[in-house]
Amino acid sequence: MVKRTRAAHRLISEGAEAKLYGARLFGIDAVLKHRARKEYRIAELDERLRLQRTRSEARMLYAASSAGANVPAVLFLGNDKIVMERIDGRMMSAITAGGWSMRTMRGSLRRLGAQLAILHNAGIAHGDFTPANILLGGSGKVYVIDFGLAETTGSAEDKAIDIILMKRSIPARAYAEFVRAYRAEYAQSGSVLARVSEIERRGRYQARTLLSA
Amino acid sequence: MAVLGIESSAHTLGVGVVEGGRVLSNEKSMYHMGPGGIIPAKAADLHADNVGPLVSAALKRAHISVRDISAIGYTKGPGLGPCLRVGQLAAETIAAHSGIPIIPVNHAVAHIEVTRSMFGARDPLVLYVSGGNSQILAITDSPFRHYHVYGETLDIGVGNMLDNFARAADLDPAWGSSVERLARGGRYIQMPYTVKGMDFTFTGLMTNASRLLGGRPSRDVAYSLQETCFSMLCEATERALFLTRKSEILLSGGVAQNSRLRAMLESIAQSHGIRAHAAPNSLNADNGAMIAVVAEKYQEKGFRFPSKARGIDQRYRIDTVEIGW
Ligand SMILES: Nc1ncnc2c1ncn2[C@@H]1O[C@H](COP(=O)(O)OP(=O)(O)O)[C@@H](O)[C@H]1O
Ligand SMILES: [Mg+2]
């Protein structure tokens, strides 16, 4: 009992927006995502952003899951807190931090492309589609987390930004594998990928140097 | 020996003299925008009239003559073509007379480097906020030592947005500083807030604020515009801070003169237990000394710029510039 209480308060991660704690709910291993107050911004704006994003994240997680994507199930929704199912996996960014092995990553990249295809097909743009928000399960299953910036959208531009964020974060060969699966699984991938090229031509993104490649 | 710097990328013409990183003089003259904003050809004409007298004034204020100058820097870009050309031409003319090297300088690098050297910040996370640009950067060594852009505006710079708003609100002068004054004591009105990861956009916010002007007290609109756009910049900066784990934040560029933005960055720094730095206003506004500071660094490291590497570049990206010191 004591042990469980301690585990329930364990800080898993602290990000720019939220703190994540280990939790248990209905006997299920869970994580609590709390968007704490930011002192730098005025209370009205701060509250609006935290509540809006918490509510929106829960809604988007639900929509993604209904569409068949691998995302954690929402167990409880509070004002500035979400309790969700804990995924037993490792962050893709942590796995590749020591270097890239295409041999071990190829399958995951294909499944990642397929996951993004499911989201985009359901009209969901993730908004922060980087390896830090991808968890790889032991079984090889690929999970997408952190829907704090996700939006329902019809715009090819929003979807293209998802692709560009991932492209900027992984080596070119890995990107090729990922995008091949995305193209195969998503009927409208053509217009999104055309928009990717267009955004890159516009200059802002294209001219950026790559950190990780 | 001293180094002269000429800045003329937009509405400000600045001439500064620097020696051993110390600012000996920093003179400027300004083009004042009408309701239509800046007209590049007119600003350039004014700069052309002023550049000669301003160089003399800067030398005089520094108590030196042109013979004491060992190099001359000018702003290569980014900026408005006609304005940039005035600075380059002036630099070429002075150099032709005295046979000293000419050094093209990136405007954004100058804004950041003048602050970085002032505080001796080795490896800071930078929030660069000027008229035409708004970026979050940090120095990276690969593939060459340069400022990597972690996030930036996907449309207009935050400074231009504030200037546009100042014009829409008939403020005089039509500058960001007038918006800051007007915003004092305002009340919050909800406005569009757009951050995408570490990038952000401002046009939606600007349109919304300008539209609200008729119906709402302009003080409330100005206040809410500032709070919203600065919160966007801060959120993106904090995200970059978590990603890069830098132990210093540096705020620079024209909008860094805004005391509300400075306070917000200070608050972020405090919550992370790190320091935030911003230079005095005279070095955050466009000025010639910052160009001289960077020119001197190039010179000390023996960089040479043949005439084909000079010229101007209206879209000169900061992440193409080698930071060779
Ligand atoms: N459902 C989950 N199961 C397991 N770990 C999670 C879960 N959600 C988040 N995490 C862990 O917490 C980290 C931060 O969560 P995230 O939702 O991405 O918050 P932030 O908005 O701070 O980035 C993730 O990178 C991951 O390691
Ligand atoms: Mg995340």
Side-chain angles (χ1 to χ4, degrees), chain A residues 12-21 29-35 57 61 71-73 83-93 126 128 130-135 143-149, chain B residues 239 242:
Chain A
I12 296 175
S13 121
E14 179 174 2
E17 261 205 84
K19 284 186 180 168
L20 278 101
Y21 302 90
D29 268 330
V31 299
L32 166 72
K33 182 165 182 173
H34 179 219
R35 288 184 163 77
E57 177 163 21
L61 277 168
V71 303
V83 180
M84 66 185 102
E85 172 194 8
R86 184 207 300 267
I87 304 296
D88 189 13
R90 287 180 66 204
M91 263 157 71
M92 183 177 158
S93 52
H126 183 274
D128 194 13
T130 62
N133 290 324
I134 306 299
L135 299 181
Y143 296 87
V144 184
I145 59 163
D146 196 357
F147 282 70
L149 295 172
Chain B
R239 197 162 286 142
F242 269 100

Side-chain angles (χ1 to χ4, degrees), chain B residues 83-209:
Chain B
C83 298
L84 290 168
R85 252 172 243 121
V86 172
Q88 190 208 354
L89 191 62
E92 300 276 356
T93 308
I94 298 167
H97 269 273
S98 41
I100 55 177
I102 306 171
I103 299 174
V105 174
N106 179 288
H107 181 84
V109 167
H111 267 299
I112 298 169
E113 284 297 309
V114 73
T115 315
R116 190 166 75 93
S117 57
M118 163 174 274
F119 292 99
R122 289 198 37 202
D123 184 21
L125 182 71
V126 179
L127 174 59
Y128 168 59
V129 277
S130 66
N133 228 327
S134 304
Q135 295 175 314
I136 297 164
L137 322 101
I139 294 175
T140 313
D141 283 320
S142 81
F144 59 97
R145 191 170 154 80
H146 70 286
Y147 278 101
H148 176 77
V149 177
Y150 283 87
E152 66 187 322
T153 176
L154 299 178
D155 47 31
I156 57 174
V158 65
N160 284 354
M161 181 191 67
L162 292 172
D163 294 349
N164 270 328
F165 176 79
R167 281 200 298 280
D170 280 328
L171 301 184
D172 184 32
W175 286 125
S177 55
S178 310
V179 181
E180 178 173 12
R181 235 172 292 122
L182 175 63
R184 267 177 219 140
R187 277 188 300 189
Y188 177 66
I189 308 169
Q190 188 168 316
M191 288 183 178
Y193 180 103
T194 329
V195 176
K196 291 182 191 271
M198 287 175 283
D199 297 327
F200 29 82
T201 62
F202 291 119
T203 36
L205 176 59
M206 183 178 78
T207 312
N208 180 269

Side-chain angles (χ1 to χ4, degrees), chain B residues 289-312:
Chain B
M290 68 182 190
I291 303 299
V293 163
V294 174
E296 189 177 46
K297 287 179 191 291
Y298 278 121
Q299 204 198 17
E300 280 167 1
K301 290 289 174 186
F303 281 73
R304 283 286 176 274
F305 299 89
S307 60
K308 71 172 182 337
R310 302 205 291 257
I312 61 159

